[in-house]
Amino acid sequence: MRRRGKHLASERKKRIPQKSGKQQPLSGLRVIVTGKGGVGKTTFTALLAGELRERGLSVLAIDADPQEDLSYSLGFSQSEITPVTKNRAYLEEKVGGRGIINLNPDLSDIVTRCGTRRADGIGLLVMGTVDSAGGGCLCPENTIIRSIARQVRVKDGEAILMDTPAGLEHFGRGLGRGFSHLIAVSEPTAQALRTACRTAELAGELGIQNRFLAINKIRNEEDFQISREILGDTDLFAEVFHLPYDEGLTRQKELTALAAGEKRPLTEAIAGIATLLLKK
Ligand SMILES: Nc1ncnc2c1ncn2[C@@H]1O[C@H](COP(=O)(O)OP(=O)(O)O)[C@@H](O)[C@H]1O
Ligand SMILES: [Mg+2]
């Protein structure tokens, strides 16, 4: 029997943050995808990238997960990619090496210098591994990560989608700064929903006002009901989406092809999220 978990709404109510942070809001669609490990963040990010591209947007996918799975799901070959943290010359030039560190580097060229862009309109920037010295670390890697979403330019018709490592630690590093939207991905379990809610709280503290929840791998009505029960009457999310379990997913190598190909319940559900994201 599955544990249904505690009702979360009352725990959260007093802590829902709405402050807007010190930074000016940035224009453009900037989406950060968060959640517990294994819930489907990378799968979702790749499918959403494909869906947005289908609608004519140019998409920059940023892989901030040291596991670097997103490139596979998007169909990039490893030889095309140099993670930012391996580009020592760039890090040194922008942030400095030992001694004086520039805490506010100009990263406007990071995509052209460190990223890869495909003819189909999907670009990829892979962050790579960052030394785990915590949020206070002033190393070049952390400085870049803190600045990235605020510094990458987004024009009309462009979107940034960032896939993140599992859990919450990256919020302590400031990775969430500068995003317009959070999509917390979850499974219909208490633990995964708890993590999703916590990421939404932290996103609120960073001033991300548009927070969506995507409950993934829904197999049946019971999964649906369990999620509703666990979530209660939360107001952490502007919208809650339910994404069906897709048996065929494990056989797919390049997920953007799935998004562009035959319509399936999962891709239809992700199309619904894309529609909402594109609504001004
Ligand atoms: N809607 C879904 N239906 C079936 N399997 C899914 C679904 N979404 C993700 N998966 C599978 O779940 C596993 C974990 O997905 P992944 O995207 O790597 O998670 P995360 O990035 O959150 O760690 C993968 O095997 C993926 O194919
Ligand atoms: Mg992943």
Side-chain angles (χ1 to χ4, degrees):
M1 175 83 182
R2 196 195 303 249
R3 279 188 56 202
R4 293 187 177 218
K6 228 168 28 170
H7 203 284
L8 293 178
S10 57
E11 277 178 29
R12 284 190 305 271
K13 276 267 160 61
K14 50 185 182 299
R15 297 167 56 199
I16 294 171
Q18 292 296 332
K19 66 180 182 194
S20 55
K22 287 186 197 126
Q23 302 291 332
Q24 286 292 316
L26 293 153
S27 60
L29 183 57
R30 299 160 179 270
V31 183
I32 182 166
V33 178
T34 60
K36 192 177 164 294
V39 295
K41 294 179 295 300
T42 302
T43 304
F44 173 81
T45 307
L47 288 173
L48 184 60
E51 179 62 35
L52 292 173
R53 181 202 61 187
E54 279 297 290
R55 292 175 189 220
L57 269 82
S58 154
V59 177
L60 174 67
I62 303 179
D63 191 354
D65 186 347
Q67 292 194 346
E68 299 176 24
D69 292 338
L70 187 60
S71 52
Y72 291 103
S73 298
L74 288 171
F76 281 82
S77 85
Q78 295 311 294
S79 59
E80 294 174 87
I81 297 158
T82 306
V84 176
T85 52
K86 289 233 173 78
N87 192 336
R88 301 312 303 182
Y90 187 80
L91 291 180
E92 194 128 325
E93 177 190 324
K94 294 295 173 173
V95 187
R98 288 165 220 97
I100 297 167
I101 280 183
N102 179 4
L103 292 176
N104 196 15
D106 173 9
L107 303 179
S108 49
D109 60 355
I110 192 166
V111 182
T112 43
R113 300 268 304 273
C114 304
T116 311
R117 207 167 262 288
R118 244 174 15 200
D120 67 0
I122 293 195
L124 177 67
L125 187 64
V126 175
M127 295 306 301
T129 312
V130 179
D131 280 342
S132 188
C137 168
L138 296 181
C139 61
E141 292 91 334
N142 264 339
T143 303
I144 295 250
I145 277 190
R146 262 194 294 272
S147 312
I148 191 136
R150 282 183 277 135
Q151 295 241 2
V152 174
R153 308 257 184 277
V154 184
K155 294 182 266 180
D156 261 359
E158 282 185 345
I160 294 180
L161 299 184
M162 185 187 270
D163 186 19
T164 61
L168 308 164
E169 195 202 343
H170 44 287
F171 275 104
R173 294 201 163 119
L175 188 64
R177 282 185 210 287
F179 285 92
S180 62
H181 292 73
L182 168 99
I183 301 180
V185 180
S186 182
E187 285 173 359
T189 63
Q191 216 190 8
L193 286 164
R194 223 179 265 277
T195 303
C197 289
R198 187 72 191 117
T199 64
E201 285 177 346
L202 293 169
E205 283 168 15
L206 293 178
I208 304 176
Q209 301 296 336
N210 307 299
R211 301 184 296 265
F212 302 153
L213 173 63
I215 309 176
N216 191 23
K217 306 188 191 181
I218 299 273
R219 288 173 187 267
N220 50 40
E221 181 61 25
E222 196 200 352
D223 284 345
F224 188 83
Q225 291 303 339
I226 284 169
S227 311
R228 278 211 349 195
E229 206 177 292
I230 294 167
L231 284 170
D233 61 349
T234 179
D235 52 3
L236 273 171
F237 301 101
E239 208 73 48
V240 178
F241 295 90
H242 296 89
L243 310 182
Y245 192 89
D246 187 312
E247 293 288 349
L249 213 46
T250 45
R251 289 191 297 275
Q252 296 286 338
K253 215 167 99 259
E254 185 180 338
L255 293 172
T256 48
L258 176 68
E262 63 178 299
K263 293 295 165 212
R264 305 147 74 125
L266 176 59
T267 55
E268 302 270 6
I270 288 173
I273 297 180
T275 301
L276 196 66
L277 288 173
L278 295 174
K279 233 186 231 170
K280 290 266 160 160

